[in-house]
Amino acid sequence: PWYKYLGFSWQPLQDLQIALHVLILYLGSFTCTWLKIYHHARILHWEKERADKKNDESSRFPPNSKRQQLPIIPKPKYLRSSLNYTWIQPTIQSFQSFHDDEDHRWTNLRNLGIAPLAEEVVFRACLLPPLLASRTNSRNGSLSLSKLSPTQASWIAPLFFGVAHLHHFYEKCRQLPPKKRSKKVLCQLVLVVTVQWTYTTLFGAYVSHVFVRTGSLSGVTLAHVICNYMGLPDISFVHPTSNLYGYRWFVTIVYFFGIGLFALGFDSVLFPSESVLPSLLVGGISQV
């Protein structure tokens, strides 16, 4: 069927496997979130103990002193309070803003729905099949019989995807007041846009590879939604002022562990052993 060329196929298990593969990459970010809950629960537990022992001399010492430390294992009620304060309440407020604030609602619909689907249709479903079916030029300029490999196509397609995001530089410059458009500020914007272009290009290469391997547009769209929601990996823990600075080595190990699992996932049962999209193209051409 024609819709298979756009990846419109019902593969719920394959799509969930793609989502799992993406989430593995954010293992460090999830760890940071839960450590924030855990650390806040330790503080709540310590504050309660200090209040109960306000007449004790030790209660006059701060939690970082050698005389009194934060409890290693906070009680469940403090974990529940911390979870409610750190995650549940902000989530509820976010849903309320989505319901009450039209601008907030349309921004989220754009970032988590319209943009991922539109970009995957254009830059994966409409761009990758022609690249895979295209011919390369030989040294003498004649048309060669060899086609672009799936790997080559997966790295060429995201270049268009990355360039399509360069308009952010123009938008940020336009929003700056004329008095603030100094050379230093413009250099900072160039650096930010360069990092963003690199990130979007690498992400584009990943979803291009996944689309070639699975032929699932819904799967790569789901991966796009997850990445838009999660954003860049949380590395704030490396700053000395962060509450997670004391856990920095643990979080770093978890990040590298997640990256390792992510790399191993390409050759695991999460993806078909043979790329699906080239097979679809060859099958379609032979039927024609």
Side-chain angles (χ1 to χ4, degrees), residues 136-199:
T136 58
N137 290 327
S138 60
R139 291 184 177 179
N140 59 10
S142 60
L143 193 63
S144 174
L145 295 178
S146 62
K147 298 180 180 180
L148 288 175
S149 68
T151 301
Q152 291 172 325
S154 296
W155 280 107
I156 292 174
L159 296 178
F160 297 93
F161 180 62
V163 170
H165 287 76
L166 291 180
H167 69 280
H168 292 295
F169 177 78
Y170 169 76
E171 289 295 329
K172 291 180 179 180
C173 284
R174 189 174 61 85
Q175 294 172 2
L176 279 176
K179 294 182 180 180
K180 292 186 177 181
R181 294 179 186 176
S182 62
K183 184 178 180 180
K184 181 179 180 180
V185 173
L186 291 177
C187 289
Q188 291 176 345
L189 284 179
V190 170
L191 179 61
V192 170
V193 172
T194 301
V195 172
Q196 186 179 27
W197 179 83
T198 303
Y199 173 74

Side-chain angles (χ1 to χ4, degrees), residues 28-260:
S29 296
F30 288 125
T31 302
C32 287
T33 300
W34 285 107
L35 280 176
K36 289 176 182 177
I37 297 171
Y38 165 71
H39 186 75
H40 187 252
R42 293 177 68 191
I43 293 176
L44 292 176
H45 192 164
W46 174 81
E47 288 178 343
K48 178 61 176 175
E49 288 184 344
R50 186 180 63 172
D52 292 342
K53 300 177 181 179
K54 59 183 178 180
N55 296 325
D56 192 337
E57 181 182 1
S58 63
S59 66
R60 296 195 299 268
F61 292 89
N64 291 330
S65 70
K66 296 181 180 179
R67 292 288 301 273
Q68 188 176 4
Q69 300 291 334
L70 293 175
I72 300 298
I73 303 177
K75 293 181 180 180
K77 63 179 181 180
Y78 300 117
L79 285 171
R80 289 194 298 268
S81 298
S82 178
L83 178 63
N84 181 67
Y85 175 81
T86 307
W87 187 74
I88 295 178
Q89 288 300 323
T91 302
I92 293 175
Q93 291 175 3
S94 178
F95 277 109
Q96 288 177 342
S97 297
F98 182 84
H99 181 269
D100 300 333
D101 189 342
E102 186 176 358
D103 290 338
H104 180 77
R105 179 166 59 251
W106 280 108
T107 299
N108 279 276
L109 287 174
R110 179 197 65 189
N111 294 339
L112 302 179
I114 300 171
L117 179 60
E119 290 177 353
E120 294 309 316
V121 168
V122 172
F123 294 105
R124 250 63 69 182
C126 293
L127 188 59
L128 276 168
L131 285 175
L132 289 170
S134 63
R135 305 287 182 175
T136 58
N137 290 327
S138 60
R139 291 184 177 179
N140 59 10
S142 60
L143 193 63
S144 174
L145 295 178
S146 62
K147 298 180 180 180
L148 288 175
S149 68
T151 301
Q152 291 172 325
S154 296
W155 280 107
I156 292 174
L159 296 178
F160 297 93
F161 180 62
V163 170
H165 287 76
L166 291 180
H167 69 280
H168 292 295
F169 177 78
Y170 169 76
E171 289 295 329
K172 291 180 179 180
C173 284
R174 189 174 61 85
Q175 294 172 2
L176 279 176
K179 294 182 180 180
K180 292 186 177 181
R181 294 179 186 176
S182 62
K183 184 178 180 180
K184 181 179 180 180
V185 173
L186 291 177
C187 289
Q188 291 176 345
L189 284 179
V190 170
L191 179 61
V192 170
V193 172
T194 301
V195 172
Q196 186 179 27
W197 179 83
T198 303
Y199 173 74
T200 53
T201 301
L202 290 175
F203 170 77
Y206 167 71
V207 287
S208 295
H209 174 80
V210 171
F211 186 62
V212 169
R213 289 281 293 273
T214 65
S216 174
L217 178 65
S218 56
V220 293
T221 302
L222 180 59
H224 199 146
V225 171
I226 292 173
C227 288
N228 277 8
Y229 177 78
M230 295 297 296
L232 291 172
D234 184 2
I235 58 172
S236 61
F237 64 91
V238 301
H239 199 278
T241 60
S242 172
N243 289 332
L244 302 184
Y245 185 71
Y247 310 94
R248 61 190 181 281
W249 292 112
F250 174 72
V251 177
T252 301
I253 292 172
V254 173
Y255 261 115
F256 280 104
F257 181 70
I259 293 172

